[in-house]
Amino acid sequence: MSALKRVFSCLASCVLLLGCSEASNGTGSISKRIGEIVHTPGATEMDLRKLPTFGWAYFLASRPGASREEVCKLIGAGRNVCGRIVRIEKAPDDHVYLLFGLNGQLTHIELNALANGHFDMEFPAEGLPKANAVFRIRRSSTGSGPDTIFLEPK
């Protein structure tokens, strides 16, 4: 069993008990708060540690447009509980799933709009520790349309 699967063991019971899944309601509340920060003129840092109101010790982000099966495989959720945890078939192509965990259990899952920031990093198999969840905001301008915002670990 991979480290990530061990990290997210007891996944189904935790999600069902806490009911903390915003992955079916469009862009989630954490994503919206990230967006408020990164779109503030002059902002240079986004401290993810301060945004969630639930317990968490590590987090991961999926690839854009990830399918339910990909996310369930990532967190080690079996077929019998996968649909209750990840409630949509596929994230929109301009969204990623944010997955937060604590003590080996998933505590929150939601969609993050890439317009609110691309996490520009490779996530460790066990997730990024909360202590390291401070990001530098980097804007890339294409000349037409809105800037692309990248969130880089500090």
Side-chain angles (χ1 to χ4, degrees):
M1 179 180 281
S2 75
L4 183 59
K5 288 181 182 176
R6 284 191 303 274
V7 168
F8 286 115
S9 66
C10 301
L11 176 64
S13 61
C14 182
V15 170
L16 295 174
L17 289 173
L18 295 177
C20 194
S21 175
E22 294 184 31
S24 62
N25 301 326
T27 302
S29 60
I30 303 300
S31 177
K32 290 174 184 173
R33 294 183 70 198
I34 292 170
E36 290 169 5
I37 293 166
V38 303
H39 293 294
T40 300
T44 59
E45 179 180 286
M46 190 277 297
D47 189 345
L48 184 63
R49 300 171 304 180
K50 298 178 180 178
L51 302 184
T53 57
F54 48 84
W56 67 286
Y58 40 85
F59 93 105
L60 295 161
S62 71
R63 70 168 188 81
S67 70
R68 173 188 293 160
E69 290 75 26
E70 288 176 77
V71 174
C72 288
K73 184 176 179 180
L74 178 70
I75 60 178
R79 180 173 292 236
N80 59 339
V81 296
C82 182
R84 288 181 279 183
I85 297 165
V86 182
R87 297 180 185 157
I88 59 175
E89 288 292 324
K90 180 184 176 300
D93 291 337
D94 60 349
H95 284 70
V96 297
Y97 287 98
L98 298 182
L99 306 139
F100 295 84
L102 177 67
N103 297 328
Q105 297 181 347
L106 185 71
T107 57
H108 186 79
I109 180 173
E110 72 171 58
L111 290 172
N112 177 57
L114 294 178
N116 294 335
H118 297 252
F119 287 95
D120 194 17
M121 61 176 286
E122 291 290 324
F123 282 87
E126 63 278 3
L128 184 73
K130 182 177 183 177
N132 299 346
V134 179
F135 297 89
R136 181 178 18 265
I137 300 168
R138 181 174 54 90
R139 292 170 179 81
S140 177
S141 182
T142 61
S144 63
D147 290 350
T148 300
I149 298 171
F150 294 95
L151 301 170
E152 303 169 334
K154 277 190 105 174

